[in-house]
Amino acid sequence: MQPKLLALLAFTALASAAGASERAKVDALSPARLDGGKVRVTTTVNMISDLVRQIGGARVQVTGLMGPGVDPHLYKASARDVRALQEAHLIVYGGLHLEGKMVDLLERHPRAVAVTDAMPRAQLLTPPGGFAGVAGLQDPHVWFDVPLWKHTTTLVRDALTRVDPAGRQVYANNAAAYGKQLDALHGRVTALMNRVPKDKRVLVTAHDAFSYFGRRYGVEVRGIQGISTVAEAGTRDIQDLSEFLATRRIPAVFIESSVPKRTVEAVVQATRARGWNLKIGGELYSDAAGEPGTRAGTYIGMIEHNARTISDALLGRPAGNR
């Protein structure tokens, strides 16, 4: 048998085994003793908190560990967080080392499920150098591909149903309704990005969190720091990027709500020194959604804000006219 075919068969077998293992995590969950109360769900990043609230509705009480502006790659669990994990009927986290310093704690917990386990492995992106220093590890920023993120609704629905069988129909109805909202969101984001000419459809941010967005919506993506905020950008990185931006005459780059903006500002200064008046096009939500109670505090609002901000800035529209 040819080596390439053997490798393909081996990969397929590993993928199938991984899928079976991932399904087993949800299937192993048992009904919780609710005593008439709500299902206590502890989540990590606030996009996942919103996801669980959308599907769980009034039957769940969600405790999110990471709020707006929090970088999950660097976050360390506090004593309060550990208690929230211990008292939860269900824990929902990102996975793929998104919560870098909490990986061991989350992966060992018997009531914890990762939303990325719901996603087809073939659709996950693997950066050339891996992620967070782990070779072969996939990019965890999956929420920027809306159809890919839609897979999470099934996992959360099933996990909640295992913990709270009496809520089965509620969870099924909510997941179906939310899935339709995500389909509509995908259409709006596609339309917004299609407004931008292909040669100007370039997204530059502090760290390379937007690769899934770029693949899905036809955008060339460049991060200054690389895929994880653990890495630091060097002078050569900034100079190379400024030359690219000046040559391509890209009108704007973007800061992120959860990452310091100093590297983006350095790129702007370096690009202007080359004679091109590069601007900061606005703030994007990358590793965290916005403030609770605001539109951007929801997953749908966060993604739509990003797409509109990117589209308008790359079209050269002033911020006040967006």
Side-chain angles (χ1 to χ4, degrees):
M1 190 175 291
Q2 295 181 358
K4 287 185 178 180
L5 181 56
L6 281 170
L8 177 60
L9 290 173
F11 177 81
T12 303
L14 286 171
S16 298
S21 175
E22 290 145 13
R23 288 190 296 271
K25 293 177 183 177
V26 173
D27 293 341
L29 293 169
S30 57
R33 287 190 58 183
L34 302 180
D35 299 323
K38 296 185 177 184
V39 181
R40 295 191 300 272
V41 186
T42 297
T43 58
T44 54
V45 293
N46 55 359
M47 296 83 72
I48 295 176
S49 302
D50 180 58
L51 170 68
V52 174
R53 290 189 181 102
Q54 295 292 338
I55 297 173
R59 297 186 72 88
V60 302
Q61 176 184 315
V62 179
T63 299
L65 303 184
M66 305 176 197
V70 174
D71 183 345
H73 307 308
L74 304 176
Y75 187 83
K76 294 181 180 180
S78 66
R80 179 181 297 179
D81 295 340
V82 173
R83 285 197 300 273
L85 293 169
Q86 291 173 338
E87 295 171 359
H89 297 125
L90 177 67
I91 298 162
V92 187
Y93 66 105
L96 299 180
H97 282 241
L98 173 69
E99 301 89 351
K101 297 184 181 299
M102 297 178 64
V103 170
D104 291 341
L105 181 62
L106 293 167
E107 289 185 347
R108 289 199 311 264
H109 203 293
R111 293 190 298 279
V113 295
V115 295
T116 48
D117 287 348
M119 297 172 182
R121 308 329 271 175
Q123 292 187 34
L124 296 178
L125 295 173
T126 304
F131 174 73
V134 181
L137 189 63
Q138 293 101 339
D139 182 345
H141 301 93
V142 292
W143 51 88
F144 289 119
D145 180 334
V146 178
L148 187 59
W149 185 249
K150 185 180 174 182
H151 287 283
T152 65
T153 62
T154 301
L155 181 140
V156 172
R157 178 200 68 194
D158 292 347
L160 287 171
T161 300
R162 295 288 298 183
V163 172
D164 175 27
R168 177 184 300 274
Q169 196 58 55
V170 171
Y171 303 139
N173 292 345
N174 288 351
Y178 191 54
K180 292 180 180 178
Q181 293 181 48
L182 295 181
D183 290 339
L185 172 66
H186 172 55
R188 294 194 298 274
V189 173
T190 300
L192 283 166
M193 298 319 304
N194 284 346
R195 296 190 309 177
V196 182
K198 287 187 177 180
D199 66 322
K200 294 293 185 273
R201 215 177 290 170
V202 176
L203 174 59
V204 175
T205 56
H207 82 300
D208 193 4
F210 291 85
S211 292
Y212 287 99
F213 184 87
R215 179 185 66 178
R216 176 64 70 177
Y217 300 107
V219 179
E220 184 177 351
V221 174
R222 296 205 174 198
I224 305 169
Q225 291 177 239
I227 197 168
S228 173
T229 54
V230 174
E232 288 289 341
T235 303
R236 173 50 55 191
D237 299 318
I238 291 171
Q239 292 301 323
D240 288 347
L241 188 53
S242 66
E243 181 177 358
F244 166 81
L245 291 163
T247 301
R248 290 280 298 270
R249 301 177 72 84
I250 303 302
V253 293
F254 302 87
I255 59 175
E256 301 172 47
S257 63
S258 57
V259 182
K261 59 184 180 180
R262 60 182 178 273
T263 55
V264 176
E265 291 172 337
V267 168
V268 170
Q269 292 172 6
T271 306
R272 289 177 177 174
R274 294 176 183 272
W276 177 241
N277 188 25
L278 182 70
K279 297 180 180 179
I280 292 180
E283 182 179 67
L284 305 181
Y285 298 101
S286 56
D287 289 340
E291 294 290 337
T294 68
R295 175 70 173 166
T298 67
Y299 169 76
I300 288 177
M302 161 195 179
I303 297 297
E304 193 160 20
H305 164 88
N306 284 354
R308 190 170 299 281
T309 299
I310 295 165
S311 178
D312 285 349
L314 294 180
L315 287 170
R317 298 183 178 181
N321 295 334
R322 296 177 192 170

